[in-house]
Amino acid sequence: MRDFNVNDFGLIPIKVATWGPFVLLNFKKENLTQKEVDSHNVATEWLGSSSEILSTNGVDSSLSYVCRREYTIECNWKVFCDNYLDGGYHVPYAHKDLASGLNLDSYSTTLFERVSIQSCEGMSGKSEENNDRLGRKAIYAFIYPNFMINRYGPWMDTNLVLPLGANKCRVVFDYYLEPSLQGDRDFIAKSLQDSEKVQIEDIVLCEGVQKGLQSPAYSVGRYAPKVEQAMHHFHCLLHENLTT
């Protein structure tokens, strides 16, 4: 074969970088220098000005991986995101057990470039004990468009929302735990059971919302301005992507 250069037909190089416990890939074709993919620049591009808040609140590589659970939900992927981003609006009604471990009066939302962080104090207060699932503070970070990082007590879980169609999505949960509790099987089993209960409750909500959206009686509603700032932020970013 004439004029054949092996180097022109090899595997496509992909830039790889790490931030905290995450490995990130960049599929863009432009050539980036190693300096441009260092952890600081990656954090700035991916997380914007929220990166320091996340790293100082326990989103780091010291955690041990526990397990993965996946849920197929009969709703549009954005419905799941909306449910996540409502500022705890649904928590006291849909998640009574979860709500009993949170001080919902402390719930707050902070917006960043492409990230929103919801935080809430746990009912364990200022106790130094950190052996309950929720701990003293919970942080729920949404990274546009479809990734969540949840850090609470000794746990962290991540949620990746994958569209499977207009009315279906898959949500992938990965669970991480502080190493000191990795051998406590009873604690892990009870924590995962409590988390599973919350996920099932959310699935019921999301699938109900999807049915409502498909109803001929559906009409647009209003935002609850004191609690749904993160949801509005998500919609603004989505609108910008779809219209530019």
Side-chain angles (χ1 to χ4, degrees):
M1 186 182 295
R2 296 177 180 177
D3 301 321
F4 181 81
N5 186 341
V6 173
N7 294 327
D8 293 336
F9 296 91
L11 297 176
I12 304 300
I14 298 173
K15 291 293 182 181
V16 180
T18 61
W19 184 88
F22 304 108
V23 178
L24 306 170
L25 308 180
N26 186 336
F27 288 93
K28 294 181 180 178
K29 293 184 178 180
E30 68 263 22
N31 292 323
L32 299 176
T33 65
Q34 187 58 42
K35 182 178 179 180
E36 290 177 308
V37 295
D38 69 21
S39 60
H40 175 74
N41 288 319
V42 168
T44 300
E45 180 182 349
W46 188 41
L47 301 171
S49 53
S50 72
S51 61
E52 184 175 352
I53 293 175
L54 293 176
S55 62
T56 57
N57 279 278
V59 180
D60 57 50
S61 56
S62 68
L63 302 170
S64 299
Y65 183 73
V66 177
C67 67
R68 167 173 289 191
R69 292 187 174 178
E70 299 187 11
Y71 303 88
T72 299
I73 308 176
E74 299 294 328
C75 73
N76 185 276
W77 70 277
K78 297 184 291 297
V79 169
F80 184 90
C81 294
D82 281 356
N83 182 73
Y84 182 89
L85 293 169
D86 76 351
Y89 199 8
H90 71 283
V91 171
Y93 309 103
H95 307 306
K96 294 189 182 298
D97 289 344
L98 174 63
S100 68
L102 296 172
N103 177 10
L104 293 175
D105 290 336
S106 70
Y107 212 104
S108 65
T109 300
T110 306
L111 305 180
F112 301 89
E113 295 85 353
R114 296 167 64 85
V115 175
S116 61
I117 296 179
Q118 302 171 86
S119 60
C120 186
E121 295 176 3
M123 293 302 288
S124 57
K126 297 181 180 179
S127 170
E128 293 300 319
E129 295 295 325
N130 201 29
N131 59 357
D132 64 295
R133 188 175 81 92
L134 296 177
R136 287 170 286 166
K137 185 178 182 181
I139 290 180
Y140 310 105
F142 177 80
I143 303 168
Y144 180 83
N146 63 336
F147 191 62
M148 297 88 162
I149 304 172
N150 309 303
R151 187 69 167 92
Y152 47 94
W155 285 96
M156 181 179 80
D157 69 70
T158 61
N159 319 145
L160 178 65
V161 190
L162 303 172
L164 297 179
N167 303 325
K168 182 181 291 188
C169 65
R170 177 181 296 119
V171 185
V172 180
F173 281 70
D174 285 308
Y175 290 89
Y176 304 80
L177 183 64
E178 292 179 1
S180 62
L181 290 167
Q182 193 175 15
D184 192 336
R185 294 184 179 181
D186 290 341
F187 173 73
I188 292 174
K190 179 62 166 61
S191 296
L192 293 175
Q193 181 181 353
D194 291 345
S195 178
E196 175 82 5
K197 185 175 187 294
V198 174
Q199 310 325 318
I200 297 304
E201 291 167 345
D202 275 331
I203 288 173
V204 172
L205 277 182
C206 291
E207 292 186 343
V209 168
Q210 184 65 46
K211 291 178 181 177
L213 290 172
Q214 294 175 266
S215 166
Y218 169 75
S219 181
V220 295
R222 297 285 301 274
Y223 293 101
K226 290 185 177 181
V227 291
E228 292 185 332
Q229 301 101 318
M231 184 191 298
H232 181 260
H233 183 243
F234 168 52
H235 292 172
C236 288
L237 291 171
L238 188 64
H239 179 266
E240 180 181 357
N241 275 175
L242 293 174
T243 57
T244 57

